[in-house]
Amino acid sequence: MVQMIQNRQNIIHNVLFFISFILLAACSTNPADTGSRPSTLAHIKLERVDSVAAEVKHAYLSLIDDEVVLRGEVQRKMHKRGIVPGHLHVQVLDSRGEVLDDDIVCTTMKCRKTGTAKFIYKTGIPPEQISSIRIVHHDTQSHTCMNA
């Protein structure tokens, strides 16, 4: 009987030790969002403007060779499968709201059945000058984008 009580105490002690070890390890690690955007890009706001046909689902900023790089995904709203129509206008704005750069960005699809297209855009402007980046999706196939 005494040995059974000691076994239970050992099990409880081991479980509590294991739980406290896991909690200590979880608290000592950095959150996932901390490394996703360098501190030099933290001040840049991203504005997404969707069209009738598609929405800008994800948009991420990164710094590669002292150049701000915008990556993201556009997804169809209706009928989730098929080609994502249109193109993107990316506007880089300074703190006064003036447009530093305005460019057309084409999307690329790996598979037509997914209904999701990816985009990438390199600004060429130092991050200190950028206040916000506006991503506008247009659902027409004008300009130079022919992603059919």
Side-chain angles (χ1 to χ4, degrees):
M1 183 71 157
V2 172
Q3 182 151 354
M4 196 160 106
I5 292 174
Q6 287 178 345
N7 286 343
R8 285 187 182 173
Q9 287 177 346
N10 285 340
I11 291 172
I12 291 171
H13 175 64
N14 289 341
V15 168
L16 289 175
F17 176 76
F18 183 70
I19 290 172
S20 62
F21 179 74
I22 289 176
L23 289 175
L24 181 64
C27 291
S28 66
T29 58
N30 291 333
D33 289 341
T34 304
S36 63
R37 187 186 266 196
S39 60
T40 56
L41 301 176
H43 68 282
I44 301 174
K45 293 186 293 184
L46 293 175
E47 300 176 39
R48 299 178 212 156
V49 180
D50 302 333
S51 69
V52 175
E55 61 184 331
V56 181
K57 287 297 266 185
H58 305 288
Y60 308 100
L61 289 177
S62 59
L63 194 61
I64 300 174
D65 297 330
D66 295 330
E67 188 174 40
V68 178
V69 178
L70 172 68
R71 298 171 194 257
E73 291 183 352
V74 180
Q75 185 177 27
R76 290 175 59 101
K77 285 184 178 178
M78 308 276 291
H79 310 292
K80 297 292 182 185
R81 296 175 59 156
I83 296 172
V84 177
H87 61 278
L88 297 168
H89 277 183
V90 176
Q91 294 179 328
V92 181
L93 307 169
D94 65 1
S95 59
R96 295 175 301 205
E98 294 182 12
V99 177
L100 299 175
D101 192 16
D102 188 0
D103 207 356
I104 297 166
V105 178
C106 301
T107 58
T108 58
M109 297 182 71
K110 284 188 176 182
C111 178
R112 291 177 182 228
K113 293 182 180 181
T114 62
T116 302
K118 296 183 184 289
F119 65 90
I120 184 167
Y121 174 69
K122 296 180 182 179
T123 62
I125 300 171
E128 301 84 31
Q129 296 179 4
I130 301 173
S131 174
S132 65
I133 298 177
R134 184 179 299 139
I135 309 159
V136 182
H137 184 267
H138 296 279
D139 55 358
T140 57
Q141 292 269 351
S142 61
H143 305 293
T144 58
C145 291
M146 298 307 266
N147 52 359

